[in-house]
Amino acid sequence: MHNQTDGLSRPQSWLSIGLSVVASAALTWLVAWCWPQAPLGVLMANTFLTSSIITKEAMRILVNNLVFARTINRTYDKRFSQDGAKNGDTIRVRKPPRYLGRSGAAMQPEAVKETFVNVKMDEEFGVDLEISNYDLTLSVDNFSDKCLKPGVARIANYIDQKCMQKAAQSIPYAVGTPGTTPAALLTFGLAGVKLDDNAAPQDGMRYMTITSLMQATIVDAAKGLFQASAEIAAQYRKGKMGTFGGFEWQMDQNVFTHTVGPLGGTPLVNGAGQTGASLITDGWTAAAANRLKKGDRFTIVNVNHVNPASYQSTGQVQQFLVTADVSSDGAGAAPIPISPPNV
C-alpha cells in the first residue's frame, strides 16, 4: 500500500483521508435522514462574512463609540474621495468674508477678501487583526462581539483623543483655573460667553465635553438648581448633565490635559505696534532653554478682544495661543508664534 522509502508518513496521510471520507459520508447520511426535505447527499455551503459586511459593521460600532468626534462638522468628508476630482490629503475650507459696512447714502465699496483654513488628513491609525476562516463563518453579531468591538473601540478612543488634543492646541480661548476641576456652573457659563464674543451661533449645536470627574462634580453642584423635572430625573438616574445651560453635555475619558511650559523670568513685549502671527519678546531667564509649550495661552496688557461681528471691544483682554514650542536664547529673548494674529 505504500512505498518503503516513505517510512510511516504515507500510511498516516491515507488514514487521515480515509477518516475524512467516512466522516463526510456519515454527515451526508445524517442530513438526508434527519432532514428528509434536503436532497440526498447535498450539503449546505458555508456562508462567509464579506469585507463589505465587516466594514459596515465596523463603521456602525465606530460611530457609536465616538464622543467628541461625533459632534464635529463633517460637511467636507466627501471632498477627500470624490471621483474624478480628488484633492489629495489637504483641502481648503473658505471662511466667509466680513465687511465693515457704511453710514449714510454715499457708496463706499469694500474689497472682497476671502480667507481659508487648511483641513489636512495627516494621520493614519488602525488595528490589524489575524482571523481564521472559522471567525469568518460566525454570524455578524458573534463576529462583532469577538473581533470587531475591541479593535474599533481602540480606534474610536484614538480618534477622540487626537481630535481633543488638536482642539486644545488650536483654539486660543480658555476659562477656569489650570489644574483645578470646575465646581461651579459659572465657569461653564463663561465658556458660553467666549463663544458669544466670537460670534458663534446659538443654534442648539453647542456641546460641553468634560471628564468623568468634571461630570460628577458639576452634577453635584447643579442638583439644587431650578431646571426641568425630566432633566433632574435624568441627572439622578444616570449621573449625567444632559441638556443644561445652553449646552448638550457629554463625558469623554479622552479630554486632553495640557502641561504648561516651564516659563522663567519676567517676559515683556519687545517693541510697540507689532502685528502678525509672531510676537517678539524679551525678559525671559537669560539662558537658552524651553519656555513655552504649544497650547500655552497668554494675554497682553491693554490688548482687548474684539467681537468679529460687531467690531466692538468686548472689554476682555485678548487671549493668544502659542502655536509651537518656544525657547529663549542666551540673552532671554524669544519670538513667539501666536494665534490669532495681532492686528
Side-chain angles (χ1 to χ4, degrees), residues 67-88:
V67 180
F68 177 76
R70 187 168 50 188
T71 64
I72 295 176
N73 188 327
R74 298 177 57 191
T75 303
Y76 299 94
D77 278 9
K78 295 181 179 179
R79 293 283 298 274
F80 286 104
S81 60
Q82 57 184 333
D83 293 335
K86 290 183 171 59
N87 293 274

Side-chain angles (χ1 to χ4, degrees), residues 13-337:
S13 178
W14 279 45
L15 181 60
S16 299
I17 295 175
L19 289 175
S20 298
V21 172
V22 171
S24 296
L27 183 59
T28 301
W29 178 85
L30 182 63
V31 171
W33 282 95
C34 293
W35 290 276
Q37 68 273 20
L40 182 63
V42 178
L43 295 177
M44 300 301 291
N46 289 329
T47 301
F48 291 92
L49 298 177
T50 66
S51 59
S52 176
I53 295 175
I54 293 173
T55 301
K56 290 179 180 179
E57 176 67 5
M59 291 304 297
R60 182 189 69 82
I61 299 171
L62 177 63
V63 171
N64 287 337
N65 276 271
L66 294 174
V67 180
F68 177 76
R70 187 168 50 188
T71 64
I72 295 176
N73 188 327
R74 298 177 57 191
T75 303
Y76 299 94
D77 278 9
K78 295 181 179 179
R79 293 283 298 274
F80 286 104
S81 60
Q82 57 184 333
D83 293 335
K86 290 183 171 59
N87 293 274
D89 63 357
T90 304
I91 60 173
R92 289 183 174 183
V93 178
R94 289 186 295 181
K95 298 167 66 176
R98 297 187 182 277
Y99 304 105
L100 293 173
R102 60 171 170 80
S103 297
M107 181 176 178
Q108 299 178 13
E110 296 182 49
V112 178
K113 184 179 180 180
E114 290 188 328
T115 57
F116 65 87
V117 293
N118 286 325
V119 176
K120 184 175 183 179
M121 190 164 57
D122 57 356
E123 291 197 35
E124 294 184 26
F125 182 80
V127 173
D128 303 317
L129 306 176
E130 286 186 350
I131 56 176
S132 66
N133 286 338
Y134 169 75
D135 293 322
L136 290 176
T137 60
L138 299 174
S139 69
V140 174
D141 289 341
N142 288 338
F143 182 81
S144 175
D145 291 337
K146 179 180 178 181
C147 301
L148 288 184
K149 285 185 178 179
V152 174
R154 175 67 188 101
I155 294 174
N157 274 272
Y158 181 86
I159 292 174
D160 264 358
Q161 175 190 351
K162 298 304 290 187
C163 286
M164 297 211 74
Q165 179 180 350
K166 285 183 178 293
Q169 295 181 338
S170 302
I171 300 172
Y173 305 105
V175 296
T177 303
T180 302
T181 300
L185 283 172
L186 175 61
T187 303
F188 300 100
L190 291 175
V193 171
K194 292 293 185 184
L195 292 175
D196 294 335
D197 286 348
N198 284 279
Q202 296 185 1
D203 54 3
M205 297 184 66
R206 292 187 175 189
Y207 294 88
M208 183 67 70
T209 307
I210 55 179
T211 67
S212 55
L213 177 59
M214 293 169 69
Q215 177 173 261
T217 302
I218 198 59
V219 167
D220 181 70
K223 62 186 177 184
L225 299 181
F226 173 79
Q227 55 176 304
S229 58
E231 294 296 334
I232 295 176
Q235 290 176 15
Y236 178 79
R237 292 194 308 269
K238 301 179 181 179
K240 299 179 180 180
M241 286 294 290
T243 302
F244 187 82
F247 291 96
E248 291 288 338
W249 296 66
Q250 53 188 16
M251 189 279 291
D252 194 331
Q253 65 269 31
N254 297 301
V255 172
F256 179 71
T257 300
H258 176 71
T259 301
V260 177
L263 309 178
T266 307
L268 299 170
V269 174
N270 185 8
Q274 296 186 48
T275 60
S278 181
L279 184 69
I280 300 173
T281 64
D282 58 14
W284 300 94
T285 301
N290 178 249
R291 300 300 173 195
L292 297 169
K293 290 292 187 181
K294 179 180 180 180
D296 283 351
R297 293 166 178 82
F298 66 92
T299 59
I300 304 173
V301 176
N302 295 327
V303 176
N304 284 358
H305 176 266
V306 174
N307 186 297
S310 66
Y311 295 101
Q312 299 297 311
S313 171
T314 62
Q316 305 295 319
V317 290
Q318 172 67 50
Q319 292 179 310
F320 293 95
L321 178 81
V322 179
T323 59
D325 289 358
V326 174
S327 295
S328 62
D329 61 20
I336 304 175

